[in-house]
Amino acid sequence: MIDLIGRQNNVGFTYYGENLKASRKLLHAALNPRTRCQWAPLLEKETSTVLRHLLNSPHDWERHVKMHVASVVVRFTYGTNVTEEYVHLAEEISTHTGLALQPGWIVDSFPLLAVLPAWLPGMHFKKWAKIAKSKFRQCTEEPYLATRAAVLNETARSSFVADNLKSVLANSSSNDESILMHAAGSVYGAATDTVRRRVRQCQYRSDIRLQTVALLRSFILLMTVHQNVQEKAYNEIASVVGHGRLPVLEDQSSLPYIEALIKEMHRFNPVINLVPHSPTQDDEYDGYHIPRKAWVMCNVWSMTHDSDIYSDVDVFNPERHLHEATKDPRDFTFGFGRRSCPGIHFANAETFLFVTRVLALFKVMPIVDANGVERVPLLSYKATFTSQPMPFACQFCVRDPRLVELL
Ligand code: HEM
């Protein structure tokens, strides 16, 4: 079904082979730490924008976080501004992907049905797949073609697509262009809120949506609940960065408690608890035979809650990461081996800027009810593939009016 709705060229869904290698090469070239100076200004500008939105309408904070992540990704990928329509379309596509991945589609058991005409009885899935595929094409092709046109008439801003397209067009290879277009489409998927992934045939496939959003929402929840941690983090920022400017990426190495806080956010509640992989050939592990194509679910949550690795696993305690010997949970939470997340450095930088800038400007607090009682939210998360906090309320109180002037 997933092929019928056109997802096979999306990086997370691509079988291991030459196309996947070419896509990952493009992504690594654009997202590795050496290219940080190219995307750091974009991240800094966008985090200032989201702070302004949080100041102006704090009750709408969840929407601001979502639009912030979407805006960062669209700017990085296509060099254009994100629109509500685009985000809506991408969410619709995410829903379609999730539905297509659910078990029970007859065509998954009998693939030959895919070639029969849609008007035959029982073939209604083909009509649905056609609509889902055309929306997916619209979401992948429209922003790509707009940037392509801007490159050709020399009005394009620097972006993942624009910068790569120049050399692709010089080689005039349509396959290279298709790889670039789908790699770009996959980057947006990597920045939205639900993960639909599935192992199928010789490899795992994934459609990753707004994982960064899930992590940032979890951060707001953890700060609302753990005021003591928030104070320590704020004090470190205030003493290192001062009150005359917002934190920048260069501050990262001088803020060990913040680094520990971000690691603990990943450990305490990994965004993706189960990462599926699948062997391309029969394998043997620890006496177990693993047949080719079998689904092997890597249980990330159990790794980050393994008491042989971490003590007091259920306690949210950033301090544990101040000891060098403590395992960095991001070694698990961004996946494994040759399919591990190519966006790890970008995601870490974006998370660092969001965390430090929100904490520098605001004190995130529980709401207070009509009787003057603080309503501390429960630390609970939805049992979905991407682990999102359950809805909760909080308030953003400005700590430092001097920083407001800088926005
Ligand atoms: C907190 C944020 C993020 C988390 C926790 C995360 C985590 C993951 C995980 C667990 C995987 C699967 C790895 C595996 O199967 O072994 C993955 C794949 C992927 N991620 Fe991320 N990711 C995040 C943000 C990003 C960002 C910002 C980008 C791009 C800018 C990105 C791009 C991708 C891509 C393209 C894949 C598919 C790789 C493949 O199938 O070969 N991710 N991510």
Side-chain angles (χ1 to χ4, degrees):
M1 193 64 185
I2 207 76
D3 290 349
L4 272 186
I5 65 167
R7 303 301 194 265
Q8 57 273 49
N9 292 322
N10 183 288
V11 173
F13 286 85
T14 306
Y15 293 111
Y16 195 76
E18 291 312 312
N19 279 3
L20 181 78
K21 283 194 221 165
S23 308
R24 287 195 59 111
K25 200 171 159 195
L26 286 176
L27 291 168
H28 275 298
L31 292 164
N32 73 68
R34 287 187 305 280
T35 57
R36 185 164 124 154
C37 56
Q38 288 166 27
W39 32 262
L42 160 71
L43 292 179
E44 288 172 359
K45 185 169 175 290
E46 293 289 331
T47 25
S48 294
T49 307
V50 72
L51 291 186
R52 276 199 300 279
H53 291 315
L54 289 172
L55 259 179
N56 294 337
S57 49
H59 294 107
D60 230 357
W61 71 269
E62 297 213 58
R63 188 173 149 267
H64 298 323
V65 172
K66 183 170 81 171
M67 289 307 287
H68 159 66
V69 174
S71 177
V72 164
V73 174
V74 170
R75 277 296 187 98
F76 166 80
T77 312
Y78 302 108
T80 51
N81 296 334
V82 71
T83 59
E84 297 264 4
E85 292 73 40
Y86 185 76
V87 174
H88 180 72
L89 180 62
E91 284 175 351
E92 217 180 331
I93 280 158
S94 172
T95 306
H96 291 160
T97 310
L99 288 171
L101 287 173
Q102 278 176 10
W105 293 98
I106 190 166
V107 66
D108 285 340
S109 307
F110 304 102
L112 279 178
L113 289 178
V115 297
L116 296 181
W119 50 262
L120 283 176
M123 291 290 120
H124 54 276
F125 68 85
K126 284 195 81 171
K127 289 181 200 142
W128 178 81
K130 197 175 166 194
I131 297 167
K133 185 175 179 175
S134 93
K135 294 210 168 184
F136 178 67
R137 283 186 65 167
Q138 184 190 349
C139 194
T140 309
E141 288 181 9
E142 278 183 6
Y144 175 83
L145 292 175
T147 301
R148 188 184 198 277
V151 167
L152 292 177
N153 64 30
E154 297 181 353
T155 57
R157 282 191 200 146
S158 172
S159 67
F160 173 70
V161 168
D163 300 347
N164 280 296
L165 196 55
K166 287 168 195 152
S167 59
V168 168
L169 291 176
N171 293 335
S172 60
S173 151
S174 59
N175 190 40
D176 287 355
E177 233 196 300
S178 164
I179 287 169
L180 175 61
M181 181 171 75
H182 287 103
S186 314
V187 172
Y188 183 84
T192 50
D193 76 351
T194 47
V195 173
R196 321 279 186 208
R197 36 182 46 240
R198 169 155 190 186
V199 186
R200 211 175 147 221
Q201 298 194 345
C202 305
Q203 64 202 0
Y204 69 89
R205 314 172 136 210
S206 63
D207 180 13
I208 307 129
R209 307 254 163 210
L210 281 171
Q211 298 177 51
T212 317
V213 173
L215 187 69
L216 302 186
R217 281 185 185 147
S218 174
F219 157 69
I220 300 290
L221 173 63
L222 288 162
M223 292 303 95
T224 310
V225 173
H226 293 288
Q227 293 289 313
N228 57 337
V229 171
Q230 185 175 178
E231 280 316 294
K232 283 185 194 163
Y234 173 73
N235 288 338
E236 184 180 69
I237 296 167
S239 71
V240 172
V241 179
H243 300 276
R245 66 176 176 88
L246 288 166
V248 290
L249 283 177
E250 283 69 37
D251 296 317
Q252 206 163 0
S253 55
S254 320
L255 295 169
Y257 190 81
I258 296 291
E259 194 61 10
L261 165 62
I262 292 172
K263 286 181 186 174
E264 186 66 350
M265 284 155 49
H266 279 281
R267 189 203 67 79
F268 185 74
N269 188 69
V271 171
I272 303 169
N273 286 310
L274 294 172
V275 174
H277 278 213
S278 186
T280 53
Q281 54 193 39
D282 286 9
D283 206 351
E284 199 75 26
Y285 179 75
D286 213 10
Y288 290 94
H289 174 67
I290 306 175
R292 176 177 169 261
K293 297 185 187 180
W295 290 31
V296 180
M297 305 300 283
C298 310
N299 190 337
V300 174
W301 192 91
S302 91
M303 293 174 197
T304 67
H305 289 74
D306 183 342
S307 47
D308 287 342
I309 308 178
Y310 304 104
S311 58
D312 298 325
V313 289
D314 295 327
V315 178
F316 182 75
N317 173 23
E319 253 107 12
R320 70 176 84 238
H321 303 286
L322 294 175
H323 310 290
E324 260 177 34
T326 310
K327 178 93 178 145
D328 187 339
R330 293 171 296 191
D331 293 349
F332 310 130
T333 57
F334 284 94
F336 310 93
R338 61 189 180 190
R339 299 303 293 257
S340 69
C341 175
I344 181 170
H345 305 290
F346 191 89
N348 283 340
E350 189 176 4
T351 306
F352 171 82
L353 282 174
F354 185 86
V355 164
T356 51
R357 289 182 166 203
V358 165
L359 293 182
L361 187 61
F362 300 107
K363 186 170 169 130
V364 186
M365 297 186 56
I367 54 162
V368 178
D369 69 16
N371 301 319
V373 178
E374 268 194 349
R375 292 285 167 204
V376 180
L378 290 176
L379 268 182
S380 57
Y381 293 83
K382 292 180 193 165
T384 42
F385 230 113
T386 315
S387 188
Q388 297 273 359
M390 297 294 272
F392 67 96
C394 64
Q395 50 175 330
F396 292 80
C397 308
V398 174
R399 277 189 193 265
D400 195 340
R402 284 168 292 181
L403 290 181
V404 174
E405 306 295 315
L406 300 176
L407 293 176

